[in-house]
């Protein structure tokens, strides 16, 4: 078992500020890139992991994980959790969700068939709830500026 590398968090913060890549940081500290990622997490220097399990409550078949519906659900979930995404991706996801809701539709998933548009259950639409969360996250901040870049406004 290898020794636990001691990475000075202040030095790590300074070098990240200078723009060093994870590979460069790993070389500098004599650890693997995985070690740098762990040190960043320990120092509070990495973005928290997003949890998309509410937006995608199914175990997706690998062939469906990059489909349009999966991507749109993940993008809306990211925004709902406060992450800024590119405006083009956000606008695509918003248009997709608005189209489903306007048509009284929701999204369902079966591993054998993939995603399907289905009639929305009254008050229990996955897409409608997710869209509402995303729109709340996009509301202008207290200072009047849009929340996050790529807000699509």
């Amino acid at each position: 078992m290898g020794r636990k590398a001691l990475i000075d968090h202040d030095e790590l913060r300074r070098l990240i500020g200078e723009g060093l890549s994870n590979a460069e940081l790993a070389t500098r500290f004599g650890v693997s890139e995985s070690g740098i990622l762990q040190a960043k997490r320990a120092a509070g220097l990495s973005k928290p992991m997003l949890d998309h399990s509410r937006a995608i409550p199914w175990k997706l078949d690998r062939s469906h994980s990059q489909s349009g519906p999966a991507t749109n659900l993940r993008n809306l979930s990211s925004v709902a959790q406060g992450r800024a995404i590119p405006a083009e991706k956000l606008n695509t996801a918003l248009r997709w969700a608005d189209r489903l809701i306007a048509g009284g539709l929701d999204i369902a998933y079966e591993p054998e068939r993939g995603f399907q548009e289905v009639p929305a259950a009254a008050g229990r639409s996955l897409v409608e709830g997710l869209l509402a969360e995303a729109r709340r996250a996009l509301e202008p901040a207290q200072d009047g500026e849009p929340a996050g870049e790529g807000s699509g406004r």
Side-chain angles (χ1 to χ4, degrees):
M1 183 143 75
R3 69 173 173 82
K4 189 167 183 163
L6 296 176
I7 296 176
D8 181 270
H9 292 175
D10 291 331
E11 178 71 359
L12 180 60
R13 186 174 287 109
R14 185 183 68 75
L15 294 171
I16 289 170
E18 290 179 10
L20 270 68
S21 69
N22 287 341
E24 292 167 327
L25 292 166
T27 300
R28 184 74 148 273
F29 287 106
V31 299
S32 66
E33 288 186 51
S34 176
I36 292 298
L37 294 174
Q38 290 174 25
K40 282 180 162 181
R41 276 193 296 277
L45 299 171
S46 61
K47 292 180 182 173
M49 295 286 291
L50 297 178
D51 179 4
H52 299 304
S53 60
R54 283 190 18 220
I56 304 176
W58 314 278
K59 171 84 172 111
L60 300 185
D61 183 272
R62 180 178 222 110
S63 64
H64 303 135
S65 65
Q66 298 302 316
S67 67
T71 299
N72 287 328
L73 290 169
R74 270 192 306 277
N75 285 337
L76 290 172
S77 175
S78 293
V79 169
Q81 294 178 63
R83 182 77 46 95
I85 65 170
E88 178 180 301
K89 291 181 178 186
L90 173 60
N91 289 333
T92 297
L94 293 172
R95 281 192 310 270
W96 173 79
D98 283 335
R99 178 185 62 79
L100 288 177
I101 293 165
L105 299 172
D106 200 4
I107 199 77
Y109 178 77
E110 294 176 22
E112 306 79 33
R113 297 178 52 203
F115 286 96
Q116 301 101 50
E117 295 177 3
V118 297
R124 295 194 349 233
S125 167
L126 173 75
V127 173
E128 189 171 11
L130 186 56
L131 179 62
E133 287 181 38
R135 288 205 188 281
R136 275 193 300 275
L138 291 171
E139 288 296 315
Q142 298 273 339
D143 61 7
E145 292 296 315
E149 101 186 36
S151 65
R153 296 189 179 181

